[in-house]
Amino acid sequence: MQDFSFKDIENDRVQPGQYTLSGWVKTHRQSKNVSFIELSDGSAVKGLQLVIEPNLQGYSELAPKITTGSAITVTGELVESPARGQKYELKVSSVELVGEANPESYPLQKKGHTLEFLREILHLRPRSNTLGAVFRIRSRAALAVHQFFQDRGFVHVHAPIITASDCEGAGALFRVTTLDPANPPRKEGKVDFGEDFFGCEAFLSVSGQLQAEVFAQGLTKAYTFAPTFRAENSNTARHLAEFWMIEPEVAFCDLEGNMKLGREFISYLIKDLAENCAADLEFLHKRDWVKPGLMETLLSVAESDFAVLDYSEAIKILEKSSKKFEFPVKWGMDLQAEHERYLTDQYIKGPLYVINYPKEIKAFYMRLNDDGKTVRAMDMLVPKLGEIIGGSQREERYDVLLDKIRAQGLPEEHYDWYLDLRKYGSTPHSGFGLGFERFLMYVTGMQNIRDVIPFPRYPGHARG
Ligand code: ATP
Ligand code: MN
């Protein structure tokens, strides 16, 4: 293992001295008087400049093999650098070639590969400066998520990945089965899932919410942070088949408390990353696909009082706007991305919540309002992205919940345990879901969700 990681230089945690360091070669410039290698260990945007005297023992034989992408270990003296833009450089006293990278075939020769190209070589993607920065931010954001909730007394719940209940009561599920697809057992002409591994149909979870509710009804504050799966065949830049979701759930909490929690959560994450990933964010925000001013937008969201719009009000605003929408505006419709973007980018010009949606377009577990038509739902919309959080106050009244399960034609027998929570010590409670990758797109400025998850899963893509 090397003596320090290059991130320590960025963080000013390194003193001049003698060190042994390893990494991959970004560039190697040879000349008569002195050679330079830019070495990266992937821990920071900036690599370290190695300075090599051409007469260094063994160097002239190794030099042709020290090519972009090769791995080397060097020992030398870390000294303050006379060059601009770097604090230190390493005066190399010995160099060892650890792993060659044939320049004829190594795919990351030149700088400036497209993100599409990098998606075809997922196994080499972490070597790219852009993706390296994204994944360092992702790692820090995961820590910040846990820190935020644990500091506030939430219990982290590992919700199951395999489940027999479909949370949303909608389609788009991946089936989990051990039956032989060529010859499944049949009963009355249909596949008999009673014979399957779990004795019933089973699926990959679309959400950990119902399980988080179970824990909130015993431990008061709970959250999940886990992969979720949706088989929706949506080939968009904002949808994945496997994505990570953060779902807090709080007992004795109404919609106002829920909105406050969502606001504080987003604000905390932005501030944490601004502090701990400053160099990575700055690097990404300079990419040519990012509109200038993203950091200012993020910091203003972190300090902002979010506007709150009733769904019905939002519909009136959209109807009155002079903008032509692809999906015509009408009370009762679900807001499409174009409507969300109008509300946040153009009307409010900042982050907002839309609340109290028609019950028909929202899930069965959302609490029915006294008007009998709308539910205590909340979507958080942020500038330049649209929906980032979806949540609600949950229906805590047994009879109302049962009616809604029946009205939506859901299999009642699957929800007996969920209904039980409303029988014994039921409480008003609320929660929301934040798509982790949507959040990462937002802070990094990356335009495609496939570039903020290490191994994106989407239609036609499950390899590597
Ligand atoms: P959208 O309308 O954008 O498809 P949704 O209404 O289906 O979102 P929810 O079911 O409320 O979303 O899921 C909660 C959160 O999970 C969303 O706010 C979003 O951040 C994220 N999310 C939903 N579907 C996906 C997906 N296929 N890929 C990545 N993130 C997703
Ligand atoms: Mn969706």
Side-chain angles (χ1 to χ4, degrees):
M1 196 159 77
Q2 58 178 349
D3 287 343
F4 61 80
S5 66
F6 296 1
K7 174 95 176 164
D8 295 325
I9 301 179
E10 186 185 298
N11 287 340
D12 243 340
R13 281 199 217 110
V14 177
Q15 301 296 320
Q18 188 78 13
Y19 295 101
T20 296
L21 299 168
S22 302
W24 292 271
V25 173
K26 287 273 178 191
T27 56
H28 184 189
R29 284 184 288 132
Q30 277 178 275
S31 77
K32 266 208 200 109
N33 304 327
V34 64
S35 296
F36 295 105
I37 294 174
E38 194 199 342
L39 193 67
S40 163
D41 70 351
S43 67
V45 183
K46 273 222 166 91
L48 180 64
Q49 171 143 290
L50 313 180
V51 184
I52 301 183
E53 303 292 337
N55 58 5
L56 179 72
Q57 212 199 340
Y59 172 67
S60 57
E61 296 86 76
L62 284 183
K65 292 181 175 168
I66 301 178
T67 53
T68 300
S70 62
I72 59 173
T73 293
V74 290
T75 299
E77 180 83 12
L78 191 74
V79 296
E80 291 195 6
S81 174
R84 271 173 42 144
Q86 58 187 25
K87 185 148 191 235
Y88 294 117
E89 59 187 34
L90 192 83
K91 284 191 173 338
V92 176
S93 55
S94 84
V95 54
E96 180 198 344
L97 180 63
V98 178
E100 294 178 39
N102 185 346
E104 300 292 316
S105 54
Y106 183 61
L108 296 175
Q109 280 310 323
K110 312 185 292 304
K111 285 188 173 177
H113 295 287
T114 66
L115 296 167
E116 289 77 11
F117 172 74
L118 292 172
R119 259 175 246 145
E120 284 162 22
I121 44 164
L122 290 181
H123 59 296
L124 294 172
R125 224 168 41 147
R127 299 265 185 101
S128 99
N129 290 337
T130 302
L131 277 289
V134 168
F135 294 130
R136 285 189 297 271
I137 292 169
R138 183 179 171 113
S139 168
R140 176 71 208 189
L143 173 65
V145 165
H146 286 297
Q147 197 74 55
F148 175 83
F149 288 116
Q150 305 258 342
D151 284 352
R152 284 159 185 75
F154 283 69
V155 174
H156 180 208
V157 179
H158 292 118
I161 299 287
I162 299 173
T163 168
S165 44
D166 164 10
C167 175
E168 306 281 331
L173 296 161
F174 286 104
R175 182 182 296 286
V176 178
T177 178
T178 53
L179 296 180
D180 176 4
N183 187 23
R186 291 181 185 275
K187 201 168 157 187
E188 290 155 10
K190 285 191 189 144
V191 175
D192 181 11
F193 288 104
E195 296 281 309
D196 203 348
F197 189 92
F198 297 105
C200 65
E201 288 184 275
F203 306 94
L204 293 180
S205 175
V206 295
S207 155
Q209 179 201 317
L210 304 192
Q211 288 85 2
E213 280 187 60
V214 167
F215 273 75
Q217 291 305 331
L219 307 179
T220 304
K221 296 179 188 174
Y223 73 103
T224 68
F225 183 5
T228 48
F229 305 87
R230 301 203 180 168
E232 46 198 7
N233 195 6
S234 44
N235 247 316
T236 79
R238 307 190 319 139
H239 290 89
L240 288 164
E242 176 181 307
F243 64 99
W244 286 65
M245 192 136 63
I246 298 138
E247 295 180 281
E249 201 62 43
V250 188
F252 309 104
C253 176
D254 60 11
L255 195 70
E256 276 64 40
N258 204 23
M259 286 195 281
K260 182 162 176 280
L261 183 68
R263 227 167 36 225
E264 290 175 355
F265 182 41
I266 293 296
S267 166
Y268 179 92
L269 293 180
I270 290 173
K271 287 180 182 164
D272 182 278
L273 296 177
E275 194 178 323
N276 295 293
C277 299
D280 285 325
L281 287 170
E282 197 190 319
F283 173 77
L284 291 175
H285 292 181
K286 277 198 222 127
R287 309 280 86 194
D288 49 15
W289 53 80
V290 179
K291 287 203 199 96
L294 179 54
M295 202 63 222
E296 288 72 39
T297 307
L298 290 170
L299 292 174
S300 80
V301 166
E303 299 298 340
S304 167
D305 284 328
F306 284 37
V308 180
L309 278 183
D310 223 76
Y311 168 88
S312 304
E313 242 177 293
I315 292 293
K316 279 192 202 131
I317 290 163
L318 292 168
E319 278 172 342
K320 275 197 223 138
S321 90
S322 50
K323 202 169 149 67
K324 273 266 160 287
F325 295 110
E326 190 187 329
F327 293 88
V329 177
K330 196 171 146 239
W331 198 98
M333 66 152 195
D334 204 356
L335 299 183
Q336 302 295 324
E338 53 172 346
H339 306 127
E340 295 175 348
R341 292 289 300 269
Y342 176 82
L343 291 172
T344 175
D345 291 352
Q346 275 161 276
Y347 187 78
I348 300 286
K349 299 190 171 67
L352 76 149
Y353 279 112
V354 179
I355 62 171
N356 297 327
Y357 283 75
K359 66 177 181 205
E360 285 78 13
I361 57 172
K362 289 291 183 186
F364 73 95
Y365 50 69
M366 298 193 180
R367 193 179 198 280
L368 191 64
N369 279 317
D370 293 343
D371 62 11
K373 284 194 263 181
T374 60
V375 289
R376 298 292 278 162
M378 59 172 223
D379 281 359
M380 182 195 287
L381 312 181
V382 292
K384 299 184 178 151
L385 186 78
E387 180 187 331
I388 190 163
I389 278 180
S392 68
Q393 183 170 340
R394 318 305 189 189
E395 185 54 74
E396 84 283 14
R397 296 162 297 184
Y398 183 91
D399 297 335
V400 182
L401 184 63
L402 184 60
D403 281 351
K404 287 187 80 185
I405 289 175
R406 287 182 178 155
Q408 297 204 7
L410 298 171
E412 215 174 297
E413 63 281 8
H414 283 189
Y415 296 96
D416 50 353
W417 56 276
Y418 191 66
L419 281 158
D420 251 13
L421 297 175
R422 277 71 181 169
K423 253 194 225 163
Y424 310 117
S426 187
T427 74
H429 64 286
S430 301
F432 61 77
L434 170 72
F436 190 46
E437 288 77 17
R438 293 268 176 96
F439 172 75
L440 290 172
M441 286 173 77
Y442 187 49
V443 290
T444 58
M446 297 302 283
Q447 306 288 302
N448 194 313
I449 198 164
R450 297 165 190 176
D451 298 329
V452 298
I453 189 164
F455 297 94
R457 298 304 181 233
Y458 51 101
H461 293 80
R463 278 190 66 214

